[in-house]
Amino acid sequence: MPHIIDAFSRIGEENAFAVLARAAELQRQGKDVINLGIGQPDFATPPHVVEAAVKALRDGHHGYTPAAGIAPLREAVAADCLTRTGARVSPESVLITPGGKVTMFLAILMFGEPGAEIVYPDPGFPIYRSMIEFTGATPVPAPVLEANGFAFDAKDALARITPRTRLVILNSPANPTGGVAPGAEIDAFVAGLARFPEVAIMSDEIYGRLTYDGLEHRSLLAYPEIADRLIVLDGWSKTYAMTGWRLGWSVWPAAFFEAARKLAVNCWSCVNAPAQWAGLAALTGPQDAVEAMRAEFDRRRKLVVEGLNALPGISAVTPKGAFYAFPNVSRTGWKAKPLASALLERAGVATIGGPDFGVHGEGYIRLSYANSAENIARALARMGEFLATERPA
Ligand code: PLP
């Protein structure tokens, strides 16, 4: 029997997809399931973006494109970076990817190997740890704590850097907590990095356009002093409701760009052409749909936090970004994963158990409020009824 390499015994998963499949299965059986599990906007992609893809197909954009992406799209990403962050990003350093997730895959492959350490947020997007372990590198979790409003803690992250650290991963606004790194923490982090010139940084800014209460997202692109070792992960999925299009972009320092482009050539050749033309229309066209979606998420955010805090044993910090609430459920008497599972199976509400995002996620569940206000209200009512009547085994 042929053996696949050991690394596959260490690769992880993103449980949100398993929950999505289970929710679909329950729905097929005729159950009414409200899905607050998966993190994707419930809106349609703006019509002018869809039209641009249809036009691209009609205009004959059916072939391969350059591996790094079509030139106008790379230029549009660079222009968008300048407008939003003030950073002068060369289009040459922009890589178009099939989804934002691919950038973490490339960056972790590039810096992870046995003996290396990679610092990443915990609770955090599960693929960080999964890929770090896949490469044989040592995952070094940096706790993201409720006591700190789930905000990024620069001092703590810097204290985890050792001579073996090759990469530090940041994610703000954050999944699963909705935490946003205060500008002062980012300043302190970048200042502290001066002591560690060998360390690369990957900043996952996929939720950068989704902040609330007037809080500004601070992109690491705004710090020229780390530009020679900064990888920025971003994309269209969350901002333009384009999760299924599989379209992302990243910015790479000149020293690593070629390695990233070669991985692209070795793996996916290029991102599908019509999706790239759609991405161009999204970036260069009207942005009112982005603000309309953000405003609607904001409205639901308030509903979900208020509703959660009214439930017995549950308390929720108000998230400052993304579209997730990460309530503390430890006083319900339930462990987080059994609670998430029972809510899905018995109450028809899909959520994700906090431990799926790391050890520091125990005691929490993640709810995506990228669902209608009506469904959020129904889900909260079901959760209230469930908690009042059901006890853990
Ligand atoms: N980074 C974070 C923190 C995410 O939550 C997600 C998606 O859930 C991604 C990256 C990946 O986005 P994409 O769907 O564009 O691959």
Side-chain angles (χ1 to χ4, degrees):
M1 186 62 189
H3 280 282
I4 61 170
I5 60 166
D6 282 352
F8 284 93
S9 65
R10 301 189 300 266
I11 200 163
E13 272 267 25
E14 192 184 342
N15 201 30
F17 283 97
V19 171
L20 185 66
R22 181 66 188 144
E25 170 65 25
L26 289 169
Q27 278 163 338
R28 258 196 308 278
Q29 292 168 13
K31 307 238 164 71
D32 175 24
V33 177
I34 305 166
N35 199 339
L36 307 186
I38 194 83
Q40 68 175 335
D42 57 319
F43 303 107
T45 304
H48 70 279
V49 177
V50 175
E51 281 312 311
V54 173
K55 181 171 184 307
L57 283 172
R58 293 220 167 95
D59 289 351
H61 293 289
H62 302 168
Y64 294 125
T65 78
I70 55 173
L73 186 56
R74 297 171 75 199
E75 282 159 15
V77 169
D80 182 60
C81 291
L82 180 64
T83 317
R84 289 193 299 114
T85 71
R88 288 198 179 279
V89 167
S90 160
E92 307 278 284
S93 60
V94 175
L95 182 70
I96 306 301
T97 51
K101 197 185 239 176
V102 173
T103 300
M104 66 185 78
F105 188 85
L106 303 187
I108 297 169
L109 274 188
M110 224 179 266
F111 293 99
E113 63 183 345
E117 293 177 1
I118 299 183
V119 181
Y120 70 102
D122 178 335
F125 193 58
I127 301 306
Y128 305 144
R129 186 184 178 103
S130 165
M131 277 306 297
I132 295 167
E133 292 196 319
F134 183 73
T135 65
T138 305
V140 178
V144 180
L145 302 175
E146 182 184 1
N148 197 22
F150 295 123
F152 170 71
D153 182 339
K155 209 165 139 208
D156 180 83
L158 290 165
R160 289 172 201 279
I161 296 177
T162 76
R164 285 183 299 282
T165 307
R166 303 287 300 281
L167 177 70
V168 178
I169 299 174
L170 254 74
N171 173 218
S172 175
N175 177 7
T177 58
V180 173
E185 287 300 308
I186 301 276
D187 285 347
F189 180 65
V190 172
L193 281 173
R195 286 185 280 130
F196 308 106
E198 302 297 319
V199 172
I201 306 107
M202 188 193 80
S203 183
D204 181 342
E205 305 187 1
I206 197 97
Y207 298 101
R209 302 279 288 270
L210 291 172
T211 58
Y212 310 106
D213 299 335
L215 205 65
E216 291 264 318
H217 161 63
R218 177 81 60 94
S219 172
L220 265 73
L221 282 172
Y223 297 83
E225 59 271 49
I226 54 167
D228 61 350
R229 52 192 171 121
L230 172 69
I231 300 156
V232 172
L233 179 164
D234 208 326
W236 286 262
S237 296
K238 319 287 175 171
T239 310
Y240 298 98
M242 292 178 73
T243 52
W245 293 71
R246 307 316 299 138
L247 187 66
W249 58 262
S250 41
V251 175
W252 297 79
F256 317 144
F257 183 84
E258 266 309 286
R261 193 193 57 78
K262 281 185 180 158
L263 282 172
V265 172
N266 275 267
C267 186
W268 68 85
S269 297
C270 66
V271 173
N272 97 64
Q276 294 192 54
W277 289 99
L280 180 61
L283 283 183
T284 55
Q287 300 296 300
D288 39 338
V290 175
E291 175 49 26
M293 288 189 271
R294 196 203 62 83
E296 180 58 22
F297 287 138
D298 190 13
R299 191 171 79 86
R300 298 170 185 180
R301 174 181 73 115
K302 290 167 185 151
L303 291 177
V304 87
V305 170
E306 203 182 289
L308 285 167
N309 282 318
L311 295 179
I314 293 192
S315 59
V317 163
T318 302
K320 300 272 191 245
F323 38 59
Y324 306 109
F326 202 58
N328 186 326
V329 297
S330 57
R331 285 177 300 278
T332 60
W334 288 82
K335 288 272 196 200
K337 281 194 58 119
L339 176 61
S341 165
L343 282 172
L344 175 58
E345 300 294 332
R346 294 194 243 151
V349 179
T351 64
I352 313 285
D356 285 336
F357 302 97
V359 289
H360 295 283
E362 183 52 81
Y364 301 87
I365 59 172
R366 188 192 81 174
L367 282 78
S368 159
Y369 50 86
N371 205 323
S372 68
E374 189 199 341
N375 278 342
I376 289 169
R378 285 171 60 224
L380 289 165
R382 288 186 189 184
M383 287 172 70
E385 207 179 302
F386 175 87
L387 290 168
T389 53
E390 305 261 357
R391 292 279 167 270

